[in-house]
Amino acid sequence: MRDKRMSLDEVVGELRSGMTIGLGGWGSRRKPMALVRAILRSDLTDLTVVSYGGPDLGLLCSAGKVRKAYYGFVSLDSAPFYDPWFAHARTSGALVAREMDEGMLKCGLEAAAARLPFLPIRAGLGSDVPNFWDGEMRTVASPYPDADGRTETLMAMPALNLDAALVHLNIGDRHGNAAYTGVDPYFDDVYCLAAERRYVSVERIVETDELVKTVPLQSLLLNRMMVDGVVEAPNGAHFTLAGDSYGRDEKFQKHYVQSAKTPEAWQQFVDTYLAVSEDEYQAAVREFAQEAKK
Amino acid sequence: MSSTETITRAEVCAVACAEIFSGAGEIMASPMSPMSIIGARLAKLTTEPDLLLSDGEALLFADTPPLGGKAPIEGWIPFRRVFDVVASGRRHVVMGANQIDRFGNQNLSAFGPLQRPTRQMFGVRGAPGNTVNHATSYWVSRHTSRVFTDQVDIVAGVGYDKVDPANPAFRFHNLHRVVSNLGVFDFAGPGHTMRARSLHPGVTAAEVAENTSFEIHGLADAEETRLPTAEELRLIRDVLDPKNIRDTEVPS
């Protein structure tokens, strides 16, 4: 069986500017942050991003990499909740927003996973969601009238077909079998099913027999058909939470938000945490935690 | 027994939030802020024992813990399953709102133009799906004319004037209550406009009118919101919110 192990930068090397990229996780929860940081180190640009948005989308916006965003929300999940770089991109008109109901995002990924052009959904009707889509979103009338002979007209949620999906899970093998530990799988399997190229970073790579002995069957979210590349990235979701592996680094997330407030503070944040390798990032983050304890 | 002589505004609000769930039965209650969480848990401990309550993340509580507390669990409700519950209709959500208009349109997305807002908030979140699928109520901790506005900037939560009566897809739309720090409201005014059901003790009709951009139906005739019972006060003060977090939302 194929050995799919890759480095973070090798994954990004397989991406191209202009691609539509789905980012797994949810808000500030189990985001593929090491892969996002690798994109920040690259010259990739003009990206369309599909995400239950958090600091993943924020960091990509900070570097001007996002042309268009499909999202149900953008949240840091703890105070001050609103991501500063996403807010900046929006208020400066730097990106095209395809905002939608949270359930519509799941629906659009499921349509793509099943190779359907759309799926009907109630959510979105009567709201401003279609007005965010500049005619890209239509309704569909049921061919089956209801008991009173009336026709139900629903949103025709278009398939959210992805060029690539980036997700982070807790444990996997070198072939792409991977599992989450903790309370929620989020939608990482659906992102992979909706994408042409699929990359998973994991806290640790183990042999297959260890993987399946470590977690219950129901946690084995990804199988080999759903993955093209596996990256071992310990602490790779930092500063978002990662199920049983670790909680959110609230202090560092606050530092991220504070740093976005002035160009000087942001330049310092970039120099310390972003214009460096993943190993240097993790070392700087450990140092930050030590300082914060004092 | 808890003293009924020193009842705070926040305690009145907590009971008004609990009454949102009166008669709800065996559905998922999804309150989104401390006050509405106290309300839902109070309802479960008093008149609505069959409500399902989650920890706000992915676990269904078997018992009813205090605010911020843990409890034994009875089930699993990760986000993907929440969307299944939304579509099933067996849910009553209490959301917050940056803006609400007289027909119940709600905004928590952003202020200003869709593609270039002046201030960015969350985006529409689950508001469009919630409002067309199941009962939805709102909790507003500071009732001002900025919140209760003539027109919301972005329709996240669907109001009654957006409902197409010819399209049965809208048949589950149901805005049940708006509870604020000033009173209890619904949309039973003419043409499904906002109506005052009750004003909290000490609140005048003039005070509500001053803090609302549009005319609220029945404001002059609204009753006084009922006071908590001694048992409700005990549950609020000693069981559900001993740290008095409710006062940070509605100062006494």
Side-chain angles (χ1 to χ4, degrees), chain A residues 47-260:
Chain A
L47 299 176
T48 293
V49 174
V50 178
S51 180
Y52 288 104
D56 53 337
L57 188 49
L59 280 174
L60 292 174
C61 286
S62 78
K65 302 236 179 241
V66 185
R67 182 180 63 86
K68 198 174 185 183
Y70 291 75
Y71 58 92
F73 63 82
V74 179
S75 172
L76 297 175
D77 291 337
S78 57
F81 295 100
Y82 308 140
D83 181 274
W85 283 113
F86 175 70
H88 183 263
R90 288 272 287 138
T91 55
S92 61
L95 59 77
V96 175
R98 293 286 180 261
E99 190 165 310
M100 71 194 101
D101 173 83
E102 292 170 14
M104 297 174 90
L105 183 44
K106 169 175 176 271
C107 185
L109 292 171
E110 285 171 342
R115 302 179 296 172
L116 292 169
F118 72 92
L119 279 171
I121 186 169
R122 200 180 311 281
L125 288 172
S127 76
D128 262 330
V129 165
N131 298 327
F132 271 99
W133 285 61
D134 298 324
E136 275 182 35
M137 187 180 285
R138 310 279 179 85
T139 57
V140 61
S142 171
Y144 308 105
D146 70 11
D148 302 321
R150 299 187 305 168
T151 298
E152 192 162 348
T153 300
L154 296 155
M155 300 307 301
M157 179 64 209
L160 294 169
N161 295 301
L162 308 174
D163 295 313
L166 307 178
V167 302
H168 183 80
L169 292 178
N170 301 84
I171 184 168
D173 67 15
R174 69 185 66 186
H175 310 298
N177 298 298
Y180 71 101
T181 64
V183 293
D184 203 319
Y186 309 119
F187 300 86
D188 291 353
D189 49 341
V190 197
Y191 278 98
C192 288
L193 290 169
E196 199 72 36
R197 306 283 299 167
R198 298 77 44 93
Y199 303 97
V200 55
S201 58
V202 292
E203 290 295 315
R204 60 193 182 103
I205 294 177
V206 298
E207 292 301 321
T208 308
D209 62 340
E210 186 185 341
L211 167 67
V212 300
K213 270 187 274 182
T214 304
V215 298
L217 290 174
Q218 293 84 348
S219 294
L220 293 165
L221 202 61
L222 305 182
N223 61 50
R224 288 185 290 114
M225 291 180 284
M226 300 161 72
V227 175
D228 297 294
V230 183
V231 182
E232 188 165 62
N235 213 33
H238 182 272
F239 44 93
T240 69
L241 63 77
D244 289 348
S245 299
Y246 42 88
R248 185 176 303 130
D249 188 341
E250 297 285 3
K251 281 179 183 161
F252 190 84
Q253 179 164 291
K254 282 197 173 69
H255 180 55
Y256 157 71
V257 172
Q258 282 296 327
S259 300

Side-chain angles (χ1 to χ4, degrees), chain A residues 22-58:
Chain A
L23 298 169
W26 169 284
S28 188
R29 303 170 201 221
R30 219 180 65 231
K31 282 287 177 179
M33 297 296 277
L35 285 164
V36 167
R37 288 186 283 271
I39 293 177
L40 292 182
R41 289 194 295 272
S42 77
D43 56 7
L44 283 181
T45 187
D46 197 32
L47 299 176
T48 293
V49 174
V50 178
S51 180
Y52 288 104
D56 53 337
L57 188 49

